[in-house]
Amino acid sequence: MKRFQSRFLAVLLTLVLVGSWTFTLPGCQAPPVTEQSVSDDKVIVTSFLPMYIFTANLLDGIDGVRIENMAAPEVGCLHDYQLLPSDLVTLDGSNLFIYNGAGMESFLEDIAARSGDLQMVEASSGINRILNDDGSENPHVWLSVPRAIQQVQNISAGLQQAFPDLAESIAANETAYCERLEVIHQAYSLELADIRIRDIITFHEAFPYLAEEYGLRIAAVIEREPGSEPSASELAETIDLIRDLSITALFAEPQYSPEVAEAIARETGARIYTLDPVVTGSLDPALYETRMLENLDVLKNALK
């Protein structure tokens, strides 16, 4: 955890007390926010959806704590995210900021320069990182289930240190959640142990941790940076590679247009499947478990 100094003007704190907003689970209506409830609650801010999900499971059933997810759940990965004034207001009224790290949140320097007396927890601290082709760290740590468990443990340790009065309940939730995640990891290990095809083509660099964990090989990435389509020569190289390796499956993502993957599929006869990196969706604490099991079904169908 890191602590930064300097505070916002009192007017911003007033805005937090009067007009801050909180994500609620689907189908649930948030209670009216009053000055008393805001001042009494412990406020935790998470950077984006996976961090929210992990934190929500650790705080399940614990009263007096609010979680606010900074980036809207439809934003996705935060590679190019720009802090909004409302983000800074939310952070200024919080006790703890939980973020992924490994280069995912490019705005951390802005938070350090502008936020106040804020404790921070880096979920990927101490976890072995995979490097991208350009030498940068790949931040999609949570898509390896064992590494996701490590992230949950890091967040739990940070929460317990920040709120020692809640430590026993947080630790119990950590044990229960990690046991459920371990079941998912064992399902991946068992179901993918005997797959015939191991070479895969992915849409962008979201899945190297998943591939490494379960013995897959990413032969090519269609778009190294989301939104930057491959050149004609890169497209031709990918098509040749698919033919040379007899690859039959392309893995697109629901957050991005499948047009390039569809063009490759037309040229090669490969079939398009969808893997979800769990960066968009509802603020449902069960979402990671649901999506990862769905991804397992996709991989089994595509590679067996």
Side-chain angles (χ1 to χ4, degrees), residues 115-170:
S115 78
D117 187 15
L118 180 63
Q119 298 182 65
M120 303 178 71
V121 176
E122 182 184 7
S124 59
S125 176
I127 297 176
N128 291 333
R129 316 286 174 77
I130 294 174
L131 299 182
N132 296 321
D133 287 346
D134 62 3
S136 63
E137 293 181 338
N138 189 295
H140 301 85
V141 174
W142 65 93
L143 291 169
S144 153
V145 181
R147 287 178 170 97
I149 291 172
Q150 289 180 271
Q151 289 193 303
V152 171
Q153 292 168 339
N154 284 340
I155 295 170
S156 178
L159 289 170
Q160 292 181 58
Q161 183 173 340
F163 311 119
D165 56 317
L166 305 178
E168 184 175 351
S169 297
I170 293 169

Side-chain angles (χ1 to χ4, degrees), residues 192-203:
L192 299 181
D194 299 323
I195 56 172
R196 181 175 59 85
I197 301 168
R198 298 252 168 214
D199 291 316
I200 64 174
I201 306 286
T202 62
F203 187 84

Side-chain angles (χ1 to χ4, degrees), residues 17-145:
L17 296 175
V18 175
S20 67
W21 50 273
T22 307
F23 284 111
T24 58
L25 298 183
C28 299
Q29 184 174 354
V33 178
T34 65
E35 183 173 341
Q36 182 67 30
S37 66
V38 170
S39 61
D40 288 349
D41 281 352
K42 299 173 175 68
V43 181
I44 297 159
V45 177
T46 54
S47 60
F48 75 135
L49 186 59
M51 299 301 100
Y52 176 92
I53 292 170
F54 295 162
T55 304
N57 280 280
L58 289 168
L59 296 174
D60 180 43
I62 299 177
D63 295 329
V65 181
R66 290 190 296 122
I67 311 171
E68 299 191 10
N69 195 52
M70 191 177 69
E74 66 271 13
V75 167
C77 289
L78 302 181
H79 302 296
D80 299 314
Y81 185 79
Q82 299 295 317
L83 284 175
L84 303 173
S86 58
D87 295 332
L88 298 173
V89 172
T90 299
L91 285 166
D92 190 60
S94 68
N95 302 98
L96 192 68
F97 178 52
I98 296 171
Y99 65 102
N100 182 77
M104 174 60 73
E105 296 89 351
S106 59
F107 48 77
L108 289 177
E109 289 185 4
D110 291 336
I111 292 178
R114 301 175 65 175
S115 78
D117 187 15
L118 180 63
Q119 298 182 65
M120 303 178 71
V121 176
E122 182 184 7
S124 59
S125 176
I127 297 176
N128 291 333
R129 316 286 174 77
I130 294 174
L131 299 182
N132 296 321
D133 287 346
D134 62 3
S136 63
E137 293 181 338
N138 189 295
H140 301 85
V141 174
W142 65 93
L143 291 169
S144 153
V145 181

